[in-house]
Amino acid sequence: MRDELGVVVGYEDSPSAHEALRWGAAEAADRKLPLTVCHAWEWHYHEWPGELVPLELVRRPARRLVKAASAWARTRYPELPVNTLTDRGSPAALLAELSKGAELIVVGTRGYSALGGLVARSVSGHTIAWAACPVIIVRGDAEARGAREVVVGFDGSRASVAALGFAAGEAVRAGAPLKALIARQGRGTDAGARESIIRAEGLAWEKLAVWRRHHHDLQTSVELVDEPARPALLEAAWKARLLVVGTRGLGEVRGLLLGSVSQAMAHHAPCPVAVVHES
């Protein structure tokens, strides 16, 4: 199934969605996977399409939209297999369902305008919360700033180890330096907190060494900063082409995620953000 869907892009008629398409197509080509462009359409009336309005008239705009997007991707990457998919319902629910068989989900920042600025209900927010695979939210313009490095937030947890592995793969494919950032503040000042920082730093170097053994050109670094994770990652994001963070999955996200680090990065970072669930 993952080989069939490959990289899934949630698409709509907006500049943000086209940036997601551009990023997703490049990811699929680099990974040698298919690209799937999807769009969910919603029917806000009591009568089901077909009773008053022919169903095809309702579906046609969605199909035209994904057809145009797939044509753009095929022109840019002639060898790339491109699939299209449209369905009735919530775009967030569709992306969450497709994530069960996808390697990667890519979305823009705006989502669907009907959801407005409600972070906890946004398409990207819902997708981060419920996706079964990594999600990239394409935001900011890292290329305009000349940003090159991939930055990953690391604290030694299983979620951050998964995030580091994803970040390393992205850095290798992009030929970019990789930095693991460890925030000291917020852990406390006792001996146990200091030991956890030392363990996290050692684990980061250990995992990076494995990647360097297989990819000799990969430039890696570990940076410890005297700030809480949120401001430290936001500051580092200004110099990043991609920021990668981990999340511990559904136990953390069933409620309003307005306070979580992953959601904060997804909605405020000045560069694309990848959110990786604990493996």
Side-chain angles (χ1 to χ4, degrees):
M1 184 70 168
R2 290 186 186 276
D3 289 339
E4 295 174 7
L5 291 177
V7 176
V8 175
V9 174
Y11 194 73
E12 59 167 343
D13 188 14
S14 74
S16 174
H18 190 76
E19 285 301 302
L21 175 65
R22 185 176 66 83
W23 188 288
E27 285 279 347
D30 288 344
R31 293 166 177 258
K32 302 188 186 310
L33 290 172
L35 173 69
T36 299
V37 182
C38 72
H39 176 83
W41 54 274
E42 296 185 272
W43 183 253
H44 300 288
Y45 304 97
H46 178 71
E47 296 82 2
W48 175 251
E51 297 176 8
L52 296 180
V53 180
L55 182 58
E56 182 57 31
L57 288 181
V58 179
R59 289 175 171 171
R60 190 176 298 165
R63 290 178 173 174
R64 284 177 177 169
L65 190 66
V66 295
K67 184 178 179 180
S70 66
W72 178 91
R74 288 190 179 99
T75 300
R76 188 75 176 266
Y77 301 96
E79 303 300 319
L80 178 64
V82 183
N83 309 309
T84 60
L85 190 153
T86 61
D87 198 6
R88 180 190 181 227
S90 158
L94 176 61
L95 288 169
E97 181 63 28
L98 292 177
S99 75
K100 298 173 185 177
E103 190 75 22
L104 176 68
I105 298 286
V106 183
V107 295
T109 53
R110 287 281 185 201
Y112 285 61
S113 58
L115 294 176
L118 297 176
V119 171
R121 295 177 55 203
S122 72
V123 173
S124 58
H126 186 102
T127 305
I128 291 169
W130 296 98
C133 69
V135 178
I136 292 181
I137 303 94
V138 182
R139 52 180 302 112
D141 193 346
E143 290 183 1
R145 298 194 306 275
R148 287 192 62 244
E149 66 184 9
V150 175
V151 175
V152 56
F154 194 81
D155 62 6
S157 66
R158 289 176 57 189
S160 71
V161 169
L164 187 146
F166 181 90
E170 290 292 307
V172 168
R173 282 186 288 272
L178 172 63
K179 176 190 291 183
L181 189 147
I182 300 174
R184 287 195 180 102
Q185 284 191 27
R187 293 169 176 255
T189 58
D190 59 12
R194 289 193 294 274
E195 286 182 13
S196 74
I197 294 170
I198 293 170
R199 284 197 302 269
E201 184 181 14
L203 182 59
W205 280 119
E206 177 186 324
K207 297 296 182 182
L208 291 173
V210 174
W211 279 89
R212 287 199 309 276
R213 280 200 294 271
H214 294 90
H215 304 279
H216 302 295
D217 294 334
L218 178 61
Q219 301 175 39
T220 61
S221 61
V222 176
E223 181 178 352
L224 276 66
V225 292
D226 290 316
E227 284 185 281
R230 240 185 258 185
L233 289 168
L234 285 174
E235 183 177 348
W238 284 103
K239 298 179 181 178
R241 74 181 307 274
L242 177 68
L243 175 66
V244 184
V245 292
T247 181
R248 287 172 175 79
L250 296 180
E252 177 188 20
V253 299
R254 289 191 185 276
L256 299 177
L257 272 178
L258 298 175
S260 74
V261 172
S262 58
Q263 284 281 353
M265 297 306 107
H267 293 282
H268 299 292
C271 71
V273 175
V275 179
V276 181
H277 285 265
E278 179 180 304
S279 57

